[in-house]
Amino acid sequence: MGMDTFSPPFCARASCIHHQPNHSLPYHAYVPWGFYHTKAFGKVPRYRCTTCGKTFSRQTFSLDYYAKHIHSYQNIIQRLASCESLSAIGRALDASTDTIANRISRASRQSLALHATLSECLHPDEDVVADGFESFCRSQYFPNNITLLVGANSQYVYAADHVTLRRKGRMTEVQKKTRAKLEARWKPEPGGVERSFSRIAHETLRIYAEGRRSPLTLWTDEHKAYTRALAGSPHLALLLQHGFIRHSVVSSRAARTTRNPLFPVNYLDRELRKDLHEHVRETVCFGRNVNRQMERLSVYLFWHNSMKRHRAREGPSCNVDYVNNDVKRGIRDLRSMWEWRSWRTLTELSDWMIETWERLRITPLSKKPDYLPGYALM
Ligand SMILES: [Zn+2]
């Protein structure tokens, strides 16, 4: 579907019977409703649904809905995944940092929608490995833990769940006082790692249910919260008890070689610290907002899963092909994902994805929830 041959694929009103796209019975219940002019997109046609009366335009379906300038999403993603800061990307593209952040938000929702589509049709046949990636947001006093669920052979990332933790470990007296002062204003809820891992456990269950491997092994280190989270999920506990899913643990002190079962997450940990500017050790460009940080990570993971070559030089070209070589051919809209917007109303997401898409996470010390443009919920 190009811009010239456009016809609305469905009605824009979520409650209309013509909102669900029906590929065998294309949407015809609309009439042309004039045009409007924009600098960036020229003459934009409008339509009116004859069933519910909703009016909308071609731009309603465009990924650049409400945008005033066109920038290449693939260029921005490539730069973001090459350790460029937002301001450096802005300078290269002659755009403001806000504009780049806005495009990354849009790209993150496209990435999540693709991820949702993929998780329905990947049917993986591999074990999975989970581990926490440690970084921070806003200040070193608010460390966070991003648990990554990675394919043991493919290095495909199945899930990324975020939680802000309380700063622990060795601190000077001054640091302890600073922490107490900050915690008087904002304090993370205890039990974060366990709650976060419950969501990872849920995703593991889904991989088992949709996948081709039985028994399926989940590899982790010896973190006690993981075992508690697994035992806390009734379905998973049952599958573990009957040996359909196995939980195997490796000491985090074991040598970090390619033969270590945790290698896929160790590898990803290293890549993230090398490729994403805000996670480079001792960076001054650290994240200031948790939701923005997770949007950038989602875009990075899209790049990691679907654009970047798999670690091995031979064989499938990227990690998603490594999981299932046929899957990309089956996806209708892969090429148009940087042209047409994914709709929240039409996308089924796991909890960790909803938190990113809808910006539901709370940034330490922030007083109000993050702003989300209305179109992101359409
Ligand atoms: Zn309608």
Side-chain angles (χ1 to χ4, degrees):
M1 180 165 57
M3 281 285 182
D4 316 326
T5 57
F6 179 82
S7 60
F10 50 84
C11 172
R13 191 194 296 273
S15 59
C16 179
I17 54 159
H18 297 296
H19 187 58
Q20 274 306 328
N22 183 339
H23 295 296
S24 55
L25 197 72
Y27 175 49
H28 286 305
Y30 63 87
V31 287
W33 207 250
F35 293 91
Y36 68 94
H37 291 267
T38 64
K39 242 187 200 169
F41 306 98
K43 198 172 162 186
V44 177
R46 293 189 60 82
Y47 308 89
R48 183 173 184 273
C49 177
T50 51
T51 299
C52 73
K54 172 87 176 165
T55 59
F56 45 85
S57 77
R58 186 188 64 199
Q59 279 308 101
T60 313
F61 297 90
S62 163
L63 181 52
D64 283 322
Y65 193 30
Y66 280 116
K68 294 197 173 55
H69 300 279
I70 300 169
H71 296 288
S72 158
Y73 285 91
Q74 300 208 47
N75 188 357
I76 293 173
I77 294 168
Q78 191 66 50
R79 288 173 181 277
L80 182 76
S82 310
C83 209
E84 282 192 30
S85 68
L86 262 57
S87 52
I89 301 173
R91 280 195 297 278
L93 272 60
D94 196 20
S96 70
T97 309
D98 282 349
T99 299
I100 301 303
N102 171 284
R103 296 309 185 273
I104 290 172
S105 289
R106 292 171 193 255
S108 75
R109 294 187 289 271
Q110 296 303 100
S111 304
L112 290 169
L114 175 70
H115 194 84
T117 307
L118 285 171
S119 44
E120 275 167 28
C121 51
L122 268 178
H123 310 302
D125 181 11
E126 62 174 338
D127 291 335
V128 285
V129 189
D131 198 21
F133 175 78
E134 283 163 27
S135 193
F136 64 95
C137 195
R138 188 105 187 213
S139 123
Q140 300 250 26
Y141 286 95
F142 296 110
N144 55 35
N145 187 67
I146 301 168
T147 307
L148 299 160
L149 184 66
V150 183
N153 306 323
S154 66
Q155 264 125 37
Y156 181 85
V157 179
Y158 289 97
D161 195 84
H162 168 282
V163 67
T164 300
L165 301 177
R166 184 167 194 229
R167 178 163 169 176
K168 286 185 179 148
R170 241 179 311 170
M171 277 180 283
T172 64
E173 283 309 309
V174 177
Q175 285 172 331
K176 277 183 197 161
K177 273 181 194 152
T178 309
R179 183 182 73 168
K181 242 187 248 171
L182 290 170
E183 284 188 341
R185 290 166 59 200
W186 195 90
K187 198 174 172 181
E189 270 182 63
V193 175
E194 192 175 327
R195 265 198 315 283
S196 180
F197 202 79
S198 302
R199 292 188 286 262
I200 292 295
H202 187 85
E203 212 63 39
T204 305
L205 196 58
R206 183 194 168 99
I207 292 168
Y208 177 78
E210 304 273 338
R212 289 170 284 161
R213 174 159 295 211
S214 182
L216 172 78
T217 301
L218 166 65
W219 291 92
T220 69
D221 66 21
E222 296 159 309
H223 206 304
K224 289 203 174 62
Y226 296 167
T227 322
R228 283 200 302 271
L230 293 173
S233 155
H235 286 103
L236 206 65
L238 201 67
L239 288 165
L240 282 163
Q241 195 190 327
H242 290 283
F244 294 113
I245 296 180
R246 293 175 183 156
H247 179 213
S248 296
V249 294
V250 182
S251 163
S252 48
R253 282 182 298 275
R256 292 192 152 210
T257 62
T258 51
R259 267 184 292 175
N260 185 325
L262 301 183
F263 172 76
V265 281
N266 293 338
Y267 169 77
L268 193 67
D269 189 293
R270 199 187 64 201
E271 294 291 286
L272 280 168
R273 297 211 190 277
K274 173 171 77 62
D275 295 342
L276 259 186
H277 202 83
E278 66 195 294
H279 297 302
V280 172
R281 295 242 184 240
E282 311 297 332
T283 183
V284 290
C285 293
F286 53 86
R288 264 110 182 141
N289 176 289
V290 168
N291 290 309
R292 296 276 186 189
Q293 184 169 56
M294 288 305 286
E295 286 177 354
R296 290 188 289 272
L297 184 72
S298 303
V299 170
Y300 178 83
L301 293 179
F302 162 77
W303 178 82
H304 168 89
N305 283 340
S306 301
M307 281 173 78
K308 181 189 151 184
R309 274 198 74 80
H310 181 77
R311 190 175 51 84
R313 285 179 197 283
E314 314 84 42
S317 56
C318 61
N319 295 332
V320 66
D321 288 340
Y322 216 97
V323 183
N324 188 338
N325 219 342
D326 299 324
V327 84
K328 276 213 285 196
R329 258 171 284 152
I331 293 180
R332 198 184 292 264
D333 295 324
L334 197 62
R335 266 183 311 175
S336 60
M337 75 179 278
W338 304 119
E339 193 173 0
W340 304 107
R341 188 166 69 84
S342 296
W343 288 58
R344 177 67 189 91
T345 50
L346 299 170
T347 312
E348 220 171 293
L349 302 169
S350 304
D351 289 350
W352 64 273
M353 298 160 93
I354 295 174
E355 288 192 357
T356 304
W357 184 304
E358 299 185 3
R359 292 188 176 155
L360 299 178
R361 297 187 180 90
I362 309 292
T363 297
L365 305 179
S366 70
K367 292 197 177 66
K368 50 180 191 214
D370 282 4
Y371 168 74
L372 182 69
Y375 63 80
L377 287 174
M378 284 172 61

